[in-house]
Amino acid sequence: MADIVESREVSALLRDLTTAAGRQDPYGHYTRLRELGAFVRADDGTLIVTRFAECAAVARDHKLGKMPVELLAHAGLADWADHPALYGYFTSLLGINPPDHTRLRRLVSSSFTARRVQALRPATERMIDELIDEMDGAADFVAAFAFPLPCNVISELLGIPPADRAQFQHLVQDWSAVLDDITPEVLSKANPAAKAVREYLAALAAERRRQPREDLMSALVGHEEAGDRLTEDELLTMAGLLFAAGFETTTNLLANGLVALLEHPEQRPALVADPASAVQELLRYDSPVQNIDRTALETTTVAGVTFEPGDRIVAYTGSANRDARRFPDPDRLDLGRGDNTSLSFGGGMHYCLGAPMAKLEAEIAFPRLFERLPGLGLADGAQRRDSLTIRGFDVLPVVTQ
C-alpha cells in the first residue's frame, strides 16, 4: 500500500500553487511535492498525484473517469444543463465516460483521421506566413499569432469560410473561459458565446447535408458506422468542442514554446534538425495543461492506492513531466532529448483527440517563425495566465526585428 502524505507542508505548497506567484512558476513547488511522496492529500480530501509513473497510471485506468453529471450538484453545479457553455463541456468527450465516450470517440475518430489532419499542412503553412506578414515591428504574440492560428486551422478543418472566421476568435475566448473558472461573471459571457457558436454550427451542418464538401463537418454529418451515427445534439456538441477546447493546447504550446526557445537560443539547431522531437520536448518542458482531474467510477487500485466510487483524484501532469525518475535532468530544456514523450496530452481513453493537429501546427510554426523573423525577441509586459490547470500567457509582447 502506497503512503499518502498529509501535512502542513503539503497544505502550504498546494495553497501556494493557487496564488499568482505560485502559478507564475509552479515547478519548484512540484519538485518538493514529488519529494514528499507520489500521493499527497489536499485539505478538501482530493488526492494529488505528483510523479510520472503514478500520473500515467491514473490517466490510463478506465475505472477512473470524469465526474459523472449526477455528482455535479455536490460541486455546486446542479444547474449545469441550463448553461449552454457548461452543457457543451459536460456532454462532450471532455466530460463523459464509457459507454457513451467509447461510442462517440469511435465515431469521431473515424472521421478526424491523421490523413485529414496532414491534409491541412498546405493551408496551415499559408496561414502561418500570413500571420507572420502582419507581425511588423512589435506585436502581442498571443493575439497576433498563437490564438488566431489554431482558431483558423480548426475553421479550415470544419469547413468554415474564411470570411466568417474572425468572429469566432472572441466567441471561443469567452466560451473557453469555463475551462479555467466557473463563476457568474464568466458564465455571463460564456453562455451567449457558446449559444452563438452552436447556432452557427447548426446552420453549417444543415448546409453540408444539402451540399457535402471535403471537410470534417461533411464527414461528421454523413458518417455512419455499423448503423450508428451522431445525433444532431452530439454532432453540434462535438463540433463545438473543437472550438471551445481544441485550440487551448495549441495556443499555449505556441506561446510557452516560443518563450522557451527565445530563452535557449543554443537549442535552435536541434529545432531545425527535428521539429517533431523538438515540439515533444517543448510540451514536456512547459506543458500547456498542468493537471487532469479524475473521479473513481468504481473501486480500483492504482500504484498501490485503492480508490472508492466518488473519490476525486488530480494528476499533476506538469509535475510528472519534470520527474527525474522518468527524465534525466528534467529542468533542462533539451530539444535533442531522445525519449521525451510526456503526459501533456493526457492518456488513456481521454488522450487529447486534437494532439496530432496541435503538434502539426507547432512543428511548422516554430521553424518558420525563426526563419522569417531572425530578429524575433521578447519585450516587456508579458502576462501569465492566472490558472493552475491551463499554463500559458494572456499577453506576450514580442519584437520582430
Side-chain angles (χ1 to χ4, degrees), residues 1 25 128 176-177 224 229 247 281 296 306 345 356 384 401:
M1 179 72 178
D25 186 4
I128 287 170
S176 66
E224 186 169 6
R229 68 167 63 234
F247 79 93
E281 174 68 357
T306 299
F345 290 116
R384 272 280 179 192
Q401 55 189 11

Side-chain angles (χ1 to χ4, degrees), residues 283-342:
L283 282 162
R284 183 204 67 81
Y285 181 75
D286 200 10
S287 177
V289 178
Q290 291 283 302
N291 58 68
I292 57 175
D293 67 282
R294 294 289 186 267
T295 297
L297 306 178
E298 54 185 291
T299 301
T300 186
T301 299
V302 180
V305 173
T306 299
F307 301 101
E308 299 297 337
D311 286 349
R312 185 164 181 262
I313 308 99
V314 177
Y316 277 27
T317 49
S319 171
N321 291 342
R322 296 284 190 103
D323 187 353
R325 298 164 187 80
R326 172 65 180 81
F327 304 103
D329 198 5
D331 293 323
R332 180 172 64 91
L333 180 70
D334 179 6
L335 299 191
R337 189 187 297 270
D339 183 9
N340 59 4
T341 301
S342 68

Side-chain angles (χ1 to χ4, degrees), residues 352-372:
C352 179
L353 187 66
M357 190 164 63
K359 288 190 282 189
L360 173 71
E361 293 173 51
E363 288 165 16
I364 300 171
F366 286 130
R368 195 68 174 148
L369 280 162
F370 289 108
E371 176 188 346
R372 292 279 313 279

Side-chain angles (χ1 to χ4, degrees), residues 107-136:
L107 280 168
V108 174
S109 296
S110 59
S111 297
F112 191 40
T113 61
R115 180 178 178 182
R116 190 179 296 276
V117 170
Q118 285 299 321
L120 288 170
R121 179 176 287 273
T124 302
E125 291 172 343
R126 184 187 70 248
M127 292 176 199
I128 287 170
D129 279 334
E130 290 172 351
L131 291 171
I132 292 175
D133 287 341
E134 296 174 7
M135 292 172 60
D136 185 18

Side-chain angles (χ1 to χ4, degrees), residues 48-173:
I48 307 296
V49 191
T50 62
R51 297 175 184 170
F52 188 93
E54 289 79 4
C55 284
V58 165
R60 293 166 186 158
D61 192 305
H62 284 203
K63 294 180 181 179
L64 301 176
K66 305 302 289 188
M67 182 180 289
V69 291
E70 57 266 23
L71 297 182
L72 291 176
H74 299 295
L77 298 171
D79 63 344
W80 66 272
D82 298 330
H83 296 280
L86 299 183
Y87 181 86
Y89 170 75
F90 289 118
T91 61
S92 75
L93 285 177
L94 284 178
I96 62 175
N97 296 305
D100 291 337
H101 183 278
T102 307
R103 170 182 163 268
L104 290 180
R105 180 140 187 154
R106 184 188 69 247
L107 280 168
V108 174
S109 296
S110 59
S111 297
F112 191 40
T113 61
R115 180 178 178 182
R116 190 179 296 276
V117 170
Q118 285 299 321
L120 288 170
R121 179 176 287 273
T124 302
E125 291 172 343
R126 184 187 70 248
M127 292 176 199
I128 287 170
D129 279 334
E130 290 172 351
L131 291 171
I132 292 175
D133 287 341
E134 296 174 7
M135 292 172 60
D136 185 18
D140 170 10
F141 184 73
V142 174
F145 192 93
F147 187 86
L149 176 61
C151 201
N152 286 338
V153 171
I154 291 169
S155 296
E156 183 79 14
L157 180 73
L158 284 169
I160 294 172
D164 292 349
R165 294 174 186 175
Q167 63 181 308
F168 287 104
Q169 293 190 22
H170 296 295
L171 291 173
V172 168
Q173 212 160 27

